[in-house]
Structure formats: C-alpha cells, structure tokens
C-alpha cells in the first residue's frame, strides 16, 4: 500500500462519530409518520373489534404521553437544557417506555432515551435500551438500523469492539442503500479503533467505491490518509 504525506492530505482532526444527532433528528422528523404507519399496520392484522379499540386507545395514550415529554426532550437535544431539565426529560421518556413500551410512541421514546443516555456518557444504560429495540421483533423496520447503530456506538464507547462491529454490520444489512453508506463509515471507525487496520482500510475503500462524494466519503478519505494510505490509489 502506498504511503502518502499526511500533513499534505489530512484536512481535519481525528474524530469518532456519535449517534445522537443524526438518530435523534431522524426520530423527530419521522415521529408523526411512524406513529401513523405503524399503528395502521398493527391494527390491520387484528380482527377482534374489542382488541382493535384497546390498541387504538393504547396508541393514542402513548402518543399523548410522548407529546408531553417532547418539549423537554427537544431542549435537551438542542443543548438548551439544564442538568435538571435533562434529568426531567430522561425521566419522562423512561416513564413513557415503562407504560407504553410496546406502542410506536414507546419505541420512539426508548430510542430518544437511549440517545440522551449516550450523549451524556451513560453508555451501559444506552446499550441496554438500544439492545431492547434491536432484539424486539416488533421494532419497525425504520427504527431497526438506528437501534443497531446506537447499540454499536454504545458498545464501542465501552471498548467492546467485536460486539460493536457485529451490531453495525447488522445495521448495514437492515438499512437502505443511503443509510448503509453512513454505517460503513461507522464500521470502519470501530474496526480502526479496535486496531484492525486491514479491515478498516477495506471498509473505507468500499465506502468510497459505493459513494465517492459527500460527508461520509470525505471522512473516509481523511481516515485513510491518517493511516498513511493514498485513497486515490488502488492496492496492489
């Protein structure tokens, strides 16, 4: 593999991407749609009118409970919350999870709670909540890649690199093409942190081949350069 001048090509400092911003932005943007879609799918497969009414009631109650917590959660995400407000947001989300965990709103609340736990350094707690979503057969397909990615990031933050890489590989399999590109970058970062330079380089090159432009490609290029690899020259 060809060596390159790091000072010439490296354009930004070494950074390890975090989950919270992208996942939480997705959750906020898709919350209403996800509740409607998932609720409709659940109700479509239930035949008994009494059970349908109960599920509608639970879904509505869960959505209402999440809506009440959302202003505090939003302030926390935007970095505008005090420590007390952050604790209140996490407590409110935990209560939604406890009461309505099986509903779409309960799953959104668990994802949001795990994101806040991760962003505040509570990696073991975040791991548990992300794992709960990742292993729940009822988790919507839209949420599964985010849950698996969060699980991988939480594990990586605890230096559990083999488990982290496995979770992110599962996220790549569950994600659509565009999301998979971002997840490839995450996988490369985990492999690099684990000291598996060969696998990290191969992963970054796969990302660049699939999507040579964009922020993920730029970061992959910078990581290759940081390892002394010319990203524009194919390995012999």
């Amino acid at each position: 593999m060809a060596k390159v001048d790091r000072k010439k090509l490296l354009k930004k400092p070494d950074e390890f991407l975090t989950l919270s911003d992208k996942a939480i932005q997705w959750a906020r943007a898709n919350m209403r749609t996800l509740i409607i879609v998932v609720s409709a799918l659940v109700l479509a497969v239930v035949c008994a009118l009494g059970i349908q009414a109960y599920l509608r009631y639970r879904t509505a109650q869960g959505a209402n409970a999440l809506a009440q917590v959302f202003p505090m959660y939003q302030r926390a995400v935007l970095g505008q919350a005090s420590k007390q407000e952050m604790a209140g947001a996490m407590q409110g989300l935990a209560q939604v999870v406890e009461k309505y965990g099986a509903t779409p709103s309960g799953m959104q609340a668990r994802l949001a709670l795990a994101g806040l736990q991760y962003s505040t350094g509570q990696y073991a707690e975040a791991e548990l909540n992300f794992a709960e979503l990742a292993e729940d057969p009822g988790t919507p397909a839209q949420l599964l890649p985010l849950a698996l990615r969060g699980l991988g990031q939480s594990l990586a933050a605890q230096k559990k690199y083999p488990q982290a890489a496995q979770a992110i590989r599962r996220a790549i399999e569950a994600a659509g093409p565009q999301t998979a590109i971002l997840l490839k970058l995450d996988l490369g970062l985990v492999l690099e942190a684990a000291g598996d330079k060969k696998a990290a380089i191969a992963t970054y090159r796969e990302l660049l081949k699939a999507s040579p432009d964009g922020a993920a490609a730029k970061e992959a290029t910078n990581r290759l350069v940081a390892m002394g690899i010319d990203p524009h020259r194919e390995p012999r």
Side-chain angles (χ1 to χ4, degrees):
M1 297 181 182
K3 299 291 183 179
V4 296
D5 186 341
R6 299 185 186 188
K7 292 183 179 180
K8 180 178 180 181
L9 294 178
L10 188 58
K11 297 181 180 179
K12 61 188 296 186
D14 187 3
E15 298 177 351
F16 195 87
L17 297 185
T18 60
L19 161 80
S20 55
D21 287 345
K22 294 181 180 65
I24 291 172
Q25 287 172 10
W26 187 95
R28 290 210 312 267
N30 291 274
M31 183 177 298
R32 184 180 298 276
T33 300
L34 184 63
I35 289 172
I36 294 172
V37 171
V38 175
S39 298
L41 290 174
V42 170
L43 295 175
V45 299
V46 179
C47 297
L49 293 177
I51 296 178
Q52 286 186 1
Y54 174 74
L55 289 175
R56 289 192 185 97
Y57 171 78
R58 290 287 293 171
T59 298
Q61 289 293 317
N64 182 61
L66 184 58
Q68 292 181 28
V69 180
F70 189 77
M72 284 191 297
Y73 164 66
Q74 188 174 39
R75 285 179 58 80
V77 171
L78 296 175
Q80 300 172 350
S82 64
K83 290 184 178 180
Q84 184 176 1
E85 289 172 328
M86 174 68 81
M90 294 174 73
Q91 182 179 6
L93 289 168
Q95 290 174 348
V96 175
V97 171
E98 181 179 359
K99 293 181 180 179
Y100 307 102
T103 70
S105 295
M107 293 178 182
Q108 284 281 2
R110 191 182 293 278
L111 178 67
L113 175 59
L116 291 184
Q117 289 171 331
Y118 182 90
S119 68
T120 55
Q122 301 177 51
Y123 302 126
E125 292 83 354
E127 176 193 343
L128 290 175
N129 277 305
F130 283 127
E132 182 73 20
L133 278 175
E135 302 307 326
D136 188 338
T139 296
Q142 299 95 325
L143 287 186
L144 183 58
L146 291 174
L148 286 166
R149 186 188 187 212
L151 177 59
Q153 295 285 15
S154 299
L155 288 165
Q158 299 173 76
K159 299 184 179 180
K160 300 177 181 178
Y161 298 122
Q163 300 96 315
Q166 181 181 11
I168 295 176
R169 287 190 177 101
R170 288 177 60 197
I172 292 172
E173 293 176 359
Q178 293 304 312
T179 303
I181 291 171
L182 178 62
L183 294 170
K184 282 277 188 180
L185 178 59
D186 290 343
L187 178 59
L189 290 167
V190 168
L191 292 170
E192 187 179 350
D196 193 344
K197 183 177 178 179
K198 182 177 180 181
I201 291 171
T203 301
Y204 292 141
R205 288 195 180 279
E206 287 175 9
L207 188 160
L208 291 175
K209 185 176 181 180
S211 179
D213 301 314
K218 183 178 180 181
E219 183 65 22
T221 297
N222 288 336
R223 296 312 314 144
L224 287 170
V225 171
M227 290 187 287
I229 303 300
D230 187 342
H232 304 296
R233 181 176 297 179
E234 291 293 329
R236 296 179 180 178

